[in-house]
Amino acid sequence: MIKIYNTLTQQKETFTPIEPGKVRMYMCGMTVYDYCHLGHARVLVAFDVVSRYLRSRGYDVTYVRNITDIDDKILRRAEENGEPFTDLTERMIDAMHEDEAKLGVLPPSKEPRATDYIAEMIAMIKTLIESDHAYVADNRDVYFSVESFEDYGKLSKKKLEDLLAGARIDVQEAKRSPADFALWKAADEGEVSWPSPWGNGRPGWHIECSAMSTHCLGDTFDIHGGGPDLMFPHHENEIAQSECATGHRFVNTWMHAGAIRVNKEKMSKSLGNFFTIREILETYPPEVVRFFLVSSHYRSQVDYSEDNLAEAGRSLARLYHALRGIEPMRSEDVSETEHDQRFVELMNDDFNCPGAISVLHGLANDINQHRREGREDEARQAARVLIRLGDILGILQQNPDAFFQADTGGELTAEDIEAKIQARADARKAKDFAGADRIRDELAEQGIILDDSREGTSWRRS
RNA sequence: GGCGCGGUGGCAGAGUGGUCAUGCAGCGGACUGCAACUCCGCGUACGCCGGUUCGAUUCCGACCCGCGCCUCCA
């Protein structure tokens, strides 16, 4: 029994898919006008884990994550760059795919792009106009009439009168109500546009997600997720559009990830305090970044700092140490253990990854203990379980040596290091400990740490 | 101002009405030529004040502090 915290009801609920055995989920993806930052990575990883976990529990998951490839910010950036907006978006989509792959984020089942769904958006807008939920304004924009939907605000718990009273809402002449939002924006001469019954224009931001999710998943689907800052107005508006257009409940479970913070402030584009995934990957291995992200619950906010990332690296290293130099037993020879059960118990409770990681550490401890006491089979079995559970979180799938010895731009090659290790072994054999220690110290200065064991000496980059 | 979330040991971070989170760092011991790795062990943790209770970090209320949303942002 899986429980998920539903933003809509503000409580954990037992998850019951609409269609038994199948899960239909949608996540709001990126607006591709710039490189992804850590906040994006957070959401990407969080929902990647959700989909992996649900699949591991036997669900047939259809995971749709859109790409917003038309938007004012994109047009502005392309204009600044002096390039067609499609060049910009193609480049950023490629970059995003690269970043995702590095972080171990599996491709979604479908990745619809807004520009491929203009017709569906227009159809939906038409329906909304026909049912008086939307209107064509004097400036040729089409707006959704917020007052026509009595549940408006149910997700973000906002009251319409409070929103209307809010001094920060821009009162546009053309809108009937200041809280109304654009479904279709009329294009000026020379602007990027598509033909529509209301003249040339481009879609508003929110309508694309309603059109794409409905088209790919149906009027009602199981899970809709996204970043914390999408709850209002984006998701609120999606609900309004979709429920008015289809007449059905839009989404059963709403999931929102917590924010990444830097110095106690939310990492965001507007504050400019963001770190892109690629710049962080210049310093930290991708798996460490992912481990850092899954080390805290998806709904809680996490503080980005070098120290926290470094600590995540040390914690992950402990897990890989346990796996090093061991041949895991074949999966089919390892049945479910109490560690698996504990892991599932924790993950069933709203995807408690930090708790699940504690199970992984328990497994590492078991492996080390078994090996120390010569129980090779037990160790190999536990190693299999560790790798199997790690896979659900998207970690621990590398060869441990590859993890420890990944080239971080040091001057020494693996061959150099092996040669020095041999030289040290010779010195030790000759009881020249001073000489042996000198070699070890020299390597340490280059960031190479040696681990001796009965089987020999292994090395890793610090 | 409205709405929402959170304050756990040196740090990170789960969780629970009454024996254990877990990791990092630290300390002691074992192992080691010495280290590293590993193993064993250690540390008056639950913002503050009341209330409920046999018993509260966990439930209720007040208070203090921090954060988020209310505008484009994952």
Side-chain angles (χ1 to χ4, degrees):
Chain A
M1 188 166 84
I2 297 174
K3 288 191 165 188
I4 304 179
Y5 182 89
N6 188 351
T7 309
L8 195 60
T9 56
Q10 300 177 99
Q11 56 189 18
K12 283 184 199 171
E13 298 171 345
T14 299
F15 176 67
T16 312
I18 297 163
E19 220 179 313
K22 295 191 176 183
V23 177
R24 301 198 297 268
M25 59 187 273
Y26 183 93
M27 194 206 116
C28 290
M30 287 349 114
T31 299
V32 284
Y33 69 103
D34 205 344
Y35 294 112
C36 294
H37 60 65
L38 230 212
H40 299 113
R42 210 297 162 83
V43 181
L44 252 10
V45 169
F47 290 98
D48 180 58
V49 170
V50 168
S51 68
R52 283 172 184 255
Y53 182 67
L54 292 173
R55 290 200 175 103
S56 80
R57 300 308 296 156
Y59 287 105
D60 175 9
V61 178
T62 304
Y63 176 21
V64 178
R65 191 181 63 217
N66 76 294
I67 293 176
T68 299
D69 62 351
I70 176 63
D71 152 279
D72 289 357
K73 288 187 295 296
I74 292 173
L75 296 176
R76 199 182 318 134
R77 180 65 60 89
E79 171 87 41
E80 285 165 15
N81 293 167
E83 63 181 335
F85 82 97
T86 46
D87 285 7
L88 172 66
T89 55
E90 286 306 319
R91 199 165 63 246
M92 289 306 145
I93 289 168
D94 287 346
M96 176 179 78
H97 287 329
E98 274 174 31
D99 292 345
E100 283 168 24
K102 285 188 179 154
L103 291 175
V105 172
L106 268 17
S109 320
K110 277 188 195 168
E111 196 172 44
R113 301 183 184 190
T115 51
D116 290 332
Y117 285 82
I118 302 289
E120 285 78 0
M121 295 186 222
I122 288 173
M124 191 173 256
I125 295 170
K126 235 174 175 170
T127 306
L128 290 169
I129 291 175
E130 281 160 10
S131 55
D132 284 331
H133 288 295
Y135 57 93
V136 184
D138 293 342
N139 62 0
R140 290 159 37 236
D141 285 355
V142 182
Y143 293 104
F144 182 90
S145 170
V146 151
E147 279 159 16
S148 75
F149 182 53
E150 66 173 335
D151 282 343
Y152 194 77
K154 69 177 173 181
L155 178 69
S156 56
K157 317 298 173 226
K158 295 187 189 308
K159 293 197 188 83
L160 203 48
E161 61 253 41
D162 293 339
L163 287 172
L164 297 180
R168 297 169 78 185
I169 288 182
D170 203 20
V171 182
Q172 275 192 35
E173 286 299 316
K175 292 183 184 178
R176 288 185 192 161
S177 163
D180 290 352
F181 56 90
L183 296 171
W184 189 260
K185 299 177 178 182
D188 287 331
E189 199 57 39
E191 284 185 337
V192 174
S193 68
W194 286 261
S196 84
W198 320 285
N200 289 135
R202 60 186 185 279
W205 174 32
H206 317 295
I207 193 69
E208 58 169 279
C209 283
S210 284
M212 290 187 275
S213 60
T214 300
H215 182 266
C216 297
L217 298 170
D219 288 355
T220 306
F221 53 95
D222 299 296
I223 297 172
H224 189 136
D229 32 25
L230 295 184
M231 197 163 104
F232 186 90
H234 187 55
H235 291 160
E236 196 69 71
N237 292 351
E238 278 186 58
I239 293 176
Q241 295 162 342
S242 291
E243 302 202 343
C244 289
T246 69
H248 295 112
R249 178 182 178 138
F250 180 40
V251 168
N252 283 343
T253 306
W254 283 93
M255 294 179 70
H256 291 93
I260 299 280
R261 306 196 312 168
V262 182
N263 298 326
K264 307 284 182 196
E265 278 184 327
K266 190 182 80 162
M267 180 182 288
S268 74
K269 292 276 192 183
S270 28
L271 288 172
N273 60 347
F274 61 90
F275 293 82
T276 63
I277 295 173
R278 35 194 62 205
E279 74 190 303
I280 291 169
L281 292 184
E282 283 171 17
T283 320
Y284 297 91
E287 189 171 352
V288 168
V289 176
R290 183 176 177 109
F291 188 78
F292 166 69
L293 259 14
V294 293
S295 291
S296 52
H297 187 89
Y298 77 90
R299 277 192 287 116
S300 63
Q301 51 190 13
V302 309
D303 286 294
Y304 167 79
S305 77
E306 300 264 327
D307 283 354
N308 292 348
L309 228 31
E311 189 188 311
R314 287 190 293 270
S315 184
L316 179 62
R318 178 169 188 273
L319 263 20
Y320 266 119
H321 261 299
L323 254 17
R324 204 172 192 190
I326 192 169
E327 181 67 34
M329 200 169 275
R330 290 171 23 194
S331 327
E332 52 270 41
D333 294 335
V334 182
S335 49
E336 191 182 68
T337 65
E338 56 188 29
H339 284 111
D340 292 270
Q341 287 165 14
R342 180 71 186 134
F343 183 93
V344 166
E345 207 175 287
L346 288 157
M347 289 296 282
N348 272 353
D349 184 12
D350 197 27
F351 310 100
N352 184 351
C353 291
I357 288 171
S358 77
V359 174
L360 266 35
H361 279 291
L363 237 11
N365 191 254
D366 282 3
I367 294 170
N368 292 331
Q369 225 170 350
H370 287 317
R371 291 172 99 180
R372 193 183 166 78
E373 291 163 20
R375 293 186 295 272
E376 202 57 28
D377 278 358
E378 282 90 334
R380 293 181 52 224
Q381 178 175 332
R384 179 87 271 156
V385 178
L386 180 52
I387 289 171
R388 177 206 281 163
L389 297 181
D391 188 33
I392 295 172
L393 301 182
I395 56 173
L396 300 177
Q397 302 306 296
Q398 289 188 69
N399 177 306
D401 285 334
F403 173 80
F404 286 116
Q405 302 176 346
D407 196 344
T408 45
E411 312 207 333
L412 293 173
T413 65
E415 289 72 34
D416 296 338
I417 295 164
E418 295 296 347
K420 297 218 181 218
I421 287 174
Q422 189 52 51
R424 171 169 169 271
D426 293 342
R428 290 177 74 199
K429 201 174 279 175
K431 297 266 189 266
D432 174 18
F433 294 120
D437 289 352
R438 199 175 321 119
I439 294 171
R440 186 171 64 197
D441 292 343
E442 283 167 11
L443 284 171
E445 276 173 36
Q446 308 256 21
I448 306 298
I449 295 167
L450 302 185
D451 297 312
D452 291 335
S453 74
R454 289 190 207 95
E455 293 79 39
T457 299
S458 58
W459 61 275
R460 61 192 152 97
R461 298 188 195 268
S462 61

